[in-house]
Amino acid sequence: MGWRLRVSHVTRMEYDGEAHSSYNEVRMTPAHNVLSSRVVVRPATTVHTYEDYWGTTVSSFDVTEPHRSLTIEAVSRVETSGPRRPRMAVTEPDPSMYELLRRTPMTAVNEELVELAKTQAFGRDPHESAEAICEVVAARVAYMPGSTGVRTSAQEAWDLGQGVCQDMAHLTAALLRAAGLPARYVSGYLHPRPSAEIGEPVEGQSHAWVEYWAGEWLPLDPTNRSLVGEAHVVVARGRDYSDVPPLKGVYQGPPESHQEITVTVTRL
């Protein structure tokens, strides 16, 4: 049994001066069972929508008039589903998933970690291997907000022993791929309080987890050591964070800017 959720994601950019123009891409529209969705930009401008290589909905827009701030508000209503139970695993990866077996700069790890991944997978089926790898990551990397940045690699998070959901997702994907399991990085939102009343707005979170292929795509959340279910809202999938940033853009103007992000999730 799933949930019906309203997700509001507001990003506000403040420039230390006047920006003359900006060019942006936004990935904030949920991927499945979307009841309604809109992206509103201030200053007002036309928003174009397309689907990228990985199947993610992208909203793109340009602001060509001078502005001192930029506000992007993405509001969606979506139906989620409960945890999926794995079926009989397929042991051989599909050749079409080669890209999701390769390491990327953010998911590169040393040979010691490659051997660790293979050890965790030895003698186990794909589901058991994925769960074992997820446990290794969760045991090694302590969740510590602010300890890493968006450019932190999987190896750096392992060496540091702490990070955020993005780091745990990168590291888990890296080890899954090293063990021969295609894996993709997933970004979206998480409702953090299952006990919240219907209609009660809750400060939500942008979140990241992984999916591995074993005849079907199955999710794992190494940060929470939990099943992925009704509290998770999928927005984008790719090889790593660089394929799925919520906001990517450039602007002409002052060198300094400040960003404020608010995510609110409400059960309906």
Side-chain angles (χ1 to χ4, degrees):
M1 183 89 178
W3 291 355
R4 183 170 289 188
L5 297 172
R6 180 184 186 275
V7 181
S8 171
H9 184 163
V10 180
T11 301
R12 182 175 176 82
M13 299 288 297
E14 293 280 354
Y15 306 106
D16 289 351
E18 194 172 74
H20 303 291
S21 59
S22 66
Y23 307 90
N24 306 273
E25 289 183 353
V26 169
R27 289 169 173 82
M28 298 180 186
T29 301
H32 303 295
N33 301 326
V34 180
L35 305 176
S36 65
S37 182
R38 70 177 188 272
V39 175
V40 178
V41 179
R42 294 184 292 274
T45 188
T46 302
V47 178
H48 302 278
T49 301
Y50 68 93
E51 191 174 281
D52 71 9
Y53 176 80
W54 301 102
T56 301
T57 298
V58 182
S59 301
S60 67
F61 60 90
D62 305 335
V63 180
T64 55
E65 63 182 62
H67 54 288
R68 290 180 172 271
S69 67
L70 174 67
T71 301
I72 304 147
E73 181 180 17
V75 179
S76 299
R77 293 167 61 246
V78 62
E79 289 183 339
T80 62
S81 56
R84 294 180 60 187
R85 303 296 176 182
R87 299 179 298 196
M88 183 67 70
V90 174
T91 56
E92 292 298 323
D94 189 318
S96 67
M97 295 177 184
Y98 175 68
E99 286 178 288
L100 296 169
L101 280 166
R102 296 179 60 187
R103 65 176 63 191
T104 67
M106 284 185 162
T107 61
V109 292
N110 61 25
E111 287 305 312
E112 181 181 350
L113 286 187
V114 170
E115 289 304 313
L116 174 63
K118 292 177 179 179
T119 299
Q120 295 301 313
F122 182 75
R124 293 179 165 132
D125 70 27
H127 302 314
E128 294 169 337
S129 300
E131 289 176 3
I133 286 170
C134 189
E135 284 298 317
V136 165
V137 171
R140 169 71 181 189
V141 182
Y143 181 75
M144 189 68 65
S147 60
T148 55
V150 295
R151 299 186 183 279
T152 301
S153 70
Q155 185 67 53
E156 289 169 337
W158 176 271
D159 294 340
L160 189 62
Q162 58 188 24
V164 294
C165 58
Q166 173 182 304
D167 305 303
M168 296 187 191
H170 280 148
L171 184 53
T172 303
L175 298 183
L176 288 169
R177 292 169 187 169
L181 291 173
R184 56 190 185 187
Y185 180 99
V186 185
S187 72
Y189 304 107
L190 177 68
H191 189 302
R193 284 177 47 202
S195 61
E197 297 291 335
I198 301 296
E200 178 186 354
V202 174
E203 183 179 345
Q205 303 169 6
S206 292
H207 195 49
W209 58 99
V210 299
E211 292 175 343
Y212 68 95
W213 176 260
E216 59 180 332
W217 286 108
L218 291 164
L220 291 170
D221 186 344
T223 303
N224 295 306
R225 298 192 187 190
S226 66
L227 295 173
V228 174
E230 52 276 304
H232 294 72
V233 178
V234 175
V235 171
R237 299 178 173 96
R239 295 162 297 180
D240 58 30
Y241 176 83
S242 65
D243 287 331
V244 301
L247 172 62
K248 180 168 68 174
V250 295
Y251 70 91
Q252 180 186 11
E256 297 295 327
S257 64
H258 311 277
Q259 186 180 89
E260 180 181 323
I261 300 172
T262 304
V263 176
T264 305
V265 186
T266 307
R267 286 191 65 185
L268 304 177

